[in-house]
Each structure stands twice: as C-alpha cells, then as structure tokens.
Amino acid sequence: MIKKAIIPAAGYGTRSLPISKVIPKEMFPIGIKPAIQYVVEEAIESGIEQILMVVSRSKNLIVDYFDHSLELEAFLERKNKMHLMDAPNIPDIQIHYTRQPIAKGLGDAIRLGKSFVNDEPFAVLLPDDIILHKHSPSLKQLIDVFTKYKESVIGLQTVDEKYLNQYGVIKGKKHSNDTYRLTDIVEKPKINPPSQLAVIGRYVFTPMIFEQLDKIKRGIGGEYQLTDGMKALLQSENIYGKLIEGQRYDIGSMDDYMKLLNFVYSNMKNG
Ligand code: UTP
C-alpha cells in the first residue's frame, strides 16, 4: 500500500568533512556496497516500488552508481566475467532524481517530493541511518503500523539522555507495547527533553505533511526542519511513533561508521 519513498541525500555532510567534500557520506563504503544501497534495499524489501532521491550538484556519484555502466558491462562481457557485476547486484527499482539547489534543511528536501508523491501516503528513509534488523526491515515495521491506523508513523529509538540534544524528541502517550501516540515533538532539546524517545531516519507520512511543510519557517540552525512540519501536522492528524527493532548506525558519526564496518566485516569473515 505504501509504494513510494523519498530518500533525501542533498545535505553537506559537515560532520564528515573533509572527505564528504568529494565523496557524499551516503556513498561511504560498507564492505563493497555504499551506505545508500543498504537503504534502497531496505525500501525494496519493505514493498517500495518507486524512489525519489533528492540530490545536489555534488552528489552525481549517487546518480552514476545506480545507473548502468555500458563501458564496464561491455568489458566484462568480452572477458566472460559478467558474474562480477552480480555481486552485489545494483538494486532493480525505478529511481527518480530531483535537485535541492541549497541544503536548506530536511523539511525543504522532503517538500520537493510533493508532485512525485501525488497525494498518496509515502515513506521517507534517511540514507545516513543504516538500521540492521533481525526479523523485519525497519521501514516495513512502520508500514505495518500505518496499515492498522492509516495515520503517519515515525521511527523511534530510546536514546541516552546526554545525546538527546542531537535528535528530534517526542512526547507521547503509550499506545501499545512499542507504539506511542505523539502529543508533541521538539528538535534537539537543549534542556528538559520531553522523553528519551528520539526520532530516527524512517517515516511514513500522509500527504497532509506537505501542507505543513509549505508553511513552516526556518527553525533551529536556520534550517527548514521536518520536526516543525510534524509538530504542525499534530494539530490536525495523529502521528504514531514506533520503537524500531534493529541496530541503528549513523554514518555521519565516526564511531557508528567504524562499528558498522567492523560488524559487516566480521560477518563476511564468518560467512
Ligand atoms: P543530516 O543532517 O544527518 O545530514 O541529514 P547532513 O546535514 O548532510 O550532515 P551533517 O549533519 O552536516 O554532518 C539527514 C539526511 O538528509 C539529507 C542529508 O543528505 C542526509 O542524508 N539532507 C539534509 C538533505 O537532503 N537536504 C538538507 O537540506 C539537509
């Protein structure tokens, strides 16, 4: 039922400078696949059929990666080595692209997907959040909640109090074992966070979010914040939060990136 997803990848990646000046953090290698491929694969496993990637002038590497390389394919064919292209396969899914000329914030990036989404509920996956699951892909976990309530659902994680100032943090009423109904949401609270429930990079929205994103002003950090759009949406619709089962790694954090590399490498070694 949720068939379209937006993947915003137009940010400057300032925490990953200087390398992110030329290599988008979304393209950082994890083994032999770039980070963003994990997220595209998660989207496909969750039933997504069309993706809109929001890129920018310095993100052409992403567009090239998901395209055919005719030269390389001809070379491998000549050498009878086409099997090398299959490991790992470039995901087979329709990807549209749009450019965000200036990284004015996540709220602005998502807003650019309005005509792509065309009045349907849709998903958003942040490509710098890699979430490894045991049972069900994290986006699928949200889609399952959406299927029940037909209202927006966002991914949550319990975060240590000292790190809450780096996240959107919700206030909510417990709805079931692992779901909450939001009553408020605050971006990067400096003091008095409303809970320890932080928003992580997976969302399912009703198209009503666009009406709110059209109205928001620049918020924290001078950016158009998706959080402000969600806060406004709460005035007219319910938003549910779902604690995501899975291990999350933020590619923009050196610590997490290294942990993920180690994890993937040790899994490869152990077959
Ligand atoms: P982040 O805030 O984590 O990424 O945005 P960033 O701004 O690129 O990185 P830092 O914080 O400066 O290190 C989450 C995702 O949203 C995209 C980013 O590319 C990233 O994948 N994004 C962010 C946009 O597409 N446009 C924006 O204006 C901001």
Side-chain angles (χ1 to χ4, degrees):
M1 154 199 290
I2 306 283
K3 299 291 176 206
K4 291 181 179 176
I6 301 177
I7 300 186
Y12 293 124
T14 53
R15 283 173 300 157
S16 311
L17 283 169
I19 190 70
S20 56
K21 207 176 141 202
V22 289
I23 301 179
K25 72 172 164 182
E26 296 84 0
M27 288 299 289
F28 284 2
I30 298 162
I32 50 172
K33 290 198 277 188
I36 197 166
Q37 182 163 348
Y38 282 78
V39 176
V40 170
E41 287 172 353
E42 181 192 317
I44 296 171
E45 279 175 51
S46 305
I48 296 297
E49 292 175 359
Q50 279 186 56
I51 290 175
L52 175 73
M53 282 193 191
V54 183
V55 292
S56 65
R57 208 160 57 88
S58 58
K59 304 278 178 139
N60 293 336
L61 221 54
I62 298 177
V63 186
D64 289 345
Y65 181 76
F66 288 103
D67 200 353
H68 279 285
S69 169
L70 291 179
E71 229 174 77
L72 178 62
E73 282 164 28
F75 174 79
L76 292 175
E77 207 155 15
R78 260 200 328 272
K79 301 270 176 196
N80 267 329
K81 284 183 175 174
M82 270 310 271
H83 62 281
L84 293 177
M85 279 307 278
D86 298 337
N89 249 324
I90 303 293
D92 184 16
I93 185 167
Q94 189 179 7
I95 305 182
H96 306 250
Y97 296 92
T98 192
R99 272 188 177 180
Q100 185 188 26
I102 301 168
K104 290 190 282 192
L106 193 51
D108 179 63
I110 303 304
R111 203 177 55 83
L112 296 173
K114 191 174 176 176
S115 60
F116 164 77
V117 162
N118 194 19
D119 226 22
E120 294 166 35
F122 66 101
V124 172
L125 302 99
L126 302 192
D128 52 346
D129 263 356
I130 307 292
I131 306 172
L132 301 182
H133 62 274
K134 279 213 181 82
H135 307 294
S136 169
S138 49
L139 178 61
K140 180 70 173 52
Q141 296 176 39
L142 299 190
I143 291 176
D144 288 345
V145 178
F146 177 85
T147 307
K148 257 195 194 154
Y149 303 120
K150 308 281 185 301
E151 297 195 89
S152 300
V153 191
I154 62 177
L156 300 176
Q157 189 183 43
T158 307
V159 165
D160 201 296
E161 205 143 338
K162 61 176 182 283
Y163 300 118
L164 285 170
N165 61 1
Q166 301 169 15
Y167 292 86
V169 181
I170 70 143
K171 189 172 173 183
K173 290 205 170 78
K174 200 160 179 157
H175 190 74
S176 73
N177 209 11
D178 55 1
T179 50
Y180 293 79
R181 196 168 55 73
L182 271 64
T183 52
D184 198 7
I185 182 165
V186 187
E187 182 66 20
K188 302 190 174 73
K190 285 210 177 77
I191 47 161
N192 302 330
S195 71
Q196 277 181 262
L197 298 169
V199 180
I200 57 173
R202 300 291 183 274
Y203 315 77
V204 173
F205 287 119
T206 65
M208 267 297 277
I209 190 73
F210 291 113
E211 257 179 55
Q212 308 305 336
L213 291 176
D214 277 341
K215 285 189 251 173
I216 57 171
K217 308 246 166 7
R218 286 181 191 266
I220 294 210
E223 293 191 356
Y224 292 94
Q225 296 287 353
L226 180 57
T227 301
D228 292 339
M230 291 195 269
K231 202 179 166 87
L233 184 62
L234 272 178
Q235 304 301 315
S236 56
E237 287 189 0
N238 285 323
I239 303 180
Y240 289 90
K242 156 93 175 72
L243 276 171
I244 286 192
E245 175 276 312
Q247 185 64 45
R248 167 184 172 262
Y249 300 89
D250 170 8
I251 296 299
S253 139
M254 186 56 74
D255 231 32
D256 272 16
Y257 179 54
M258 288 303 168
K259 276 188 202 147
L260 178 57
L261 285 185
N262 276 327
F263 180 81
V264 170
Y265 181 58
S266 58
N267 267 12
M268 272 163 68
K269 270 201 313 196
N270 302 328

